[in-house]
Amino acid sequence: MAEERITLSVIKADVGGYVGHSSIHPALIDTAKERLSTAKEKGLIVDFHVLRCGDDLELIMTHKKGVDNSDIHELAWNTFVAATEVAKELKLYGAGQDLLSDAFSGNVKGMGPGVAEMEFVERKSEPVIVFMADKTSPGAWNLPLFRIFADPFNTAGLVIDPSMHGGFSFEVLDAKEGKTITLSCPEEMYDLLVLIGSPDRYMIRAVYRKSDNEIGAVASTQRLSYIAGKYVGKDDPVLIVRCQAGMPAVGEVLEGFSFPHLVEGWMRGSHQGPLMPVPFYEANPSRFDGPPRVIAAGFQLAQGRLVGPHDMFDDPSFDEVRRQANIVAEYMRRHGPFQPHRLPLEEMEYTTLPQVMERLKGRFKED
Ligand code: F6R
Ligand code: MG
Ligand code: MG
C-alpha cells in the first residue's frame, strides 16, 4: 500500500492593519478561524492554525490534496476576502491591500497572497517549523537557509550525521527573469553564494536532501512588486522547514536566525534593517515600522494534525540576538535617508524620483 501523503500549506496576506501597518485586529483572526474550522468540519482540510506576524494573516493548513490545489487556494482566498470585509467595517488600515484581483481564478499565486507548500509522507515523527516574517521580502530567507542547510559552522549534522553528510540541493529563483536553477552543496557552494548573496533578485525557493531527494524546506517567493508591475504592498514571506532525523535538528534550524542580518523592507519597504527573531506576542513592528520581525511556529504532525504551535523564539537564548538587532537598528537609523540604510533608487518601493527628475531636468548641465 502506498504511504499516505500529506500537504502542509502556509498561505498569507495582509488584508488590513491595526494600527497602521503594525499588527492585526483580533476580529480578523476570529473570522479566519471560523472559515477554516468550517472547512475542517467539511473534510476539505485535515487541520489548521491561524497566526499573525505584524500585519500579516497567516493560514497554516494540512490536507491531502497536494500543492497548488485550487480548492485549498480558493479556501484561503475566500478567507482573506471575508477578513477584508471585517477590516473594511472596522476601517482597518489598507483593508484588502494584498488581494490584487477581484475574483479568484484557480490559484492564489500571482494574485497577491504569499504561498509556501510542501507534500510528503509523514515520518515516524514529523517536527516542522513555520517561519513567518513581516516588513521584509522573500530574499530574507537566503542567509538563514544557507546557514541551516549548507554551513557546517551552523549545522553540526552536516559534518557528523551520516544521513545528512551528502549535503542538500537548493532550488533558486531568478525573480527578474522568472527562471529557476538547482545547485548542489557542498560542491557548488560558491556558485550558489554568487547568486543568493543578491537576495533582491535570487531567492531560495526549496531545499532537498540529496541522498533521497526528500524535501527539507520551501519558501514563498512571490514578489508583489513584480506581480503588479508597480509597488502595491509588501511581500512579507513565509518558510516551512522540516527538522530532525536526517534533516537539520530543531536547534540547528533556529541557530540559522542567531545573527540579525540586514534585510530589505522596514519603513515603506525601502530600507535595510536587521531581522529580529521574536516570540509571537512581540511581532508588532513599531519603531520606524520595524525593525523587520520573524516568528517561528513549531509543530509535530500526527496524521496531518498540527500539534502545536510552539513559540520557538520565546527563549532567553535569543535575547542577545534581539539586543544586537536593536543596536544595529539604531546604527542604521542614524543614516536617515542615506544608503545603505535607504535602498538604492531602483529597489525602493516608493519613489519620488520621476517627479523630482521631471522638475529638475532642465537644470542638469554637461560636466
Ligand atoms: C512597509 C509598510 C509600512 C508602510 C508605511 C507607509 O512594509 O507597510 O512601512 O509602507 O507605513 O504606509 P502608507 O503609504 O500606507 O501610508
Ligand atoms: Mg500592511
Ligand atoms: Mg506585512
Side-chain angles (χ1 to χ4, degrees), residues 14 20-22 55 93-94 97 134-136 231 233-236 265-271 288-290 349-350:
D14 174 351
H21 292 283
S22 65
D55 56 7
Y93 197 70
Q97 77 164 49
D134 187 40
K135 302 294 179 281
T136 183
Y231 176 67
K234 288 266 26 74
D235 34 20
D236 303 311
W266 208 346
M267 175 58 76
R268 299 177 185 277
S270 302
H271 294 81
F288 200 56
D289 286 359
E349 290 176 335
Y350 289 62

Side-chain angles (χ1 to χ4, degrees), residues 74 77-78 80-82 84-85 88 95-108 110-113:
E74 188 170 21
W77 181 263
N78 289 341
F80 293 137
V81 169
T84 298
E85 289 310 312
K88 282 182 180 160
Q97 77 164 49
D98 283 357
L99 305 185
L100 304 183
S101 173
D102 293 334
F104 178 73
S105 62
N107 192 308
V108 291
M111 299 179 74

Side-chain angles (χ1 to χ4, degrees), residues 106-118:
N107 192 308
V108 291
K109 283 185 189 160
M111 299 179 74
V115 184
E117 300 182 284
M118 55 162 77

